[in-house]
Amino acid sequence: MSKKITLPKIKTFDLTLTRTIPASPEEVFDGWLDPENPGTPWHGSQKLVLEPKVDSLWHFTHVFDDLVLPHYGRFTTLERGKKIQYTWMSRHTLGLESLVTVNLQKKGDDTLLTLTHANIPDDEYGRAHETGWKGLLEAFEARILQTD
Amino acid sequence: MDQLTSVLEAVAHPSRRAILDRLSKGPARVTEIAEPFDMSLNAVSKHLKILEAAGLVTREVQGREHYIEFRGEPLRLVSTWVDYYERFWTQHLERFEQHFKDKRKRKP
């Protein structure tokens, strides 16, 4: 009889950030996929593979404090001027496929960019707490919530 | 010095973290805070002044007694700072926005 294997459930969290970018949604779309743009994760990579097509893969490697940090993913949505979505895997996602979604909305001459990074493991790696701060923050978490 | 730097410097010292740990249980007088530590009152006062400057404690004077109370809100700054992906994307978005601001400025 085959044994059913249940993987431990990993608690995850989502992160959403917004910015108004002084450019049209089409320019922002193109800029997000341009490794020459200093605001993209692809910029300054030691090794870069980037083929912005649905179901194509991307890869970049950064070196931080002598640590090689490879990142991998797959494009899932590319709608010029509207939406960019890709999966994202790195040592911080613990083998989970996290999901990055960039929504673009015209706002006069500018673009409202909403970035959501979903399915990030909610643990020491995912949040990458610095050693030393973590215990302190945990100790005070209840107190911080009380002072809300 | 910005508040984030003040908070980080304040919590970087183990004695100040121990003082905050004590105060997280409730307000205390300076003498009560000093009691469990092998430190002079003068040294404790210096640590308290640094915590006060960072906004992590407040002082209420009642007659001759100084009561110190913990304030947790500034720790939010540290919490945000250490959240890897929030820090990662915030830095990238700031550069991304700046890139387009510079580009727009260069337009005739």
Side-chain angles (χ1 to χ4, degrees), chain A residues 1-141:
Chain A
M1 205 171 110
S2 66
K3 254 189 174 176
K4 193 181 171 191
I5 299 168
T6 314
L7 292 170
K9 266 202 169 179
I10 299 175
K11 201 180 153 208
T12 60
F13 73 100
D14 298 353
L15 170 73
T16 299
L17 296 166
T18 57
R19 284 285 185 289
T20 300
I21 309 295
S24 72
E26 288 74 21
E27 283 174 304
V28 174
F29 179 94
D30 295 343
W32 195 263
L33 299 169
D34 179 8
E36 296 296 313
N37 189 312
T40 63
W42 340 105
H43 182 77
S45 305
Q46 193 192 50
K47 175 79 183 165
L48 175 69
V49 177
L50 181 69
E51 198 187 350
K53 284 180 192 166
V54 171
D55 283 336
S56 281
L57 304 175
W58 60 263
H59 162 75
F60 69 81
T61 300
H62 281 164
V63 179
F64 181 72
D65 279 350
D66 292 333
L67 207 63
V68 179
L69 298 170
H71 295 69
Y72 297 88
R74 171 174 57 93
F75 286 101
T76 51
T77 308
L78 288 163
E79 292 171 25
R80 191 166 185 261
K82 285 181 185 164
K83 188 177 175 178
I84 301 168
Q85 189 179 63
Y86 43 90
T87 64
W88 177 287
M89 291 177 86
S90 75
R91 64 181 275 147
H92 291 108
T93 68
L94 304 175
L96 280 188
E97 238 188 359
S98 65
L99 190 67
V100 175
T101 307
V102 180
N103 277 304
L104 307 173
Q105 207 180 332
K106 194 171 163 53
K107 192 178 156 189
D109 291 338
D110 303 332
T111 299
L112 181 68
L113 184 156
T114 307
L115 180 140
T116 305
H117 194 161
N119 212 30
I120 305 168
D122 192 6
D123 74 344
E124 204 170 337
Y125 275 96
R127 287 193 184 264
H129 282 138
E130 308 285 329
T131 314
W133 304 124
K134 192 174 180 283
L136 176 80
L137 292 167
E138 276 170 1
F140 294 140
E141 193 178 22

Side-chain angles (χ1 to χ4, degrees), chain A residues 32 36-41 43, chain B residues 89 91-97 99:
Chain A
W32 195 263
E36 296 296 313
N37 189 312
T40 63
H43 182 77
Chain B
W89 287 119
Q91 284 173 357
H92 279 89
L93 284 173
E94 271 164 21
R95 276 184 235 141
F96 191 75
E97 186 181 351
H99 170 79

Side-chain angles (χ1 to χ4, degrees), chain B residues 59-76:
Chain B
R59 186 187 296 259
E60 199 189 321
V61 183
Q62 287 179 13
R64 288 171 59 190
E65 297 290 354
H66 287 212
Y67 286 87
I68 311 295
E69 194 173 351
F70 173 66
R71 288 274 182 269
E73 297 90 330
L75 283 173
R76 281 182 184 284

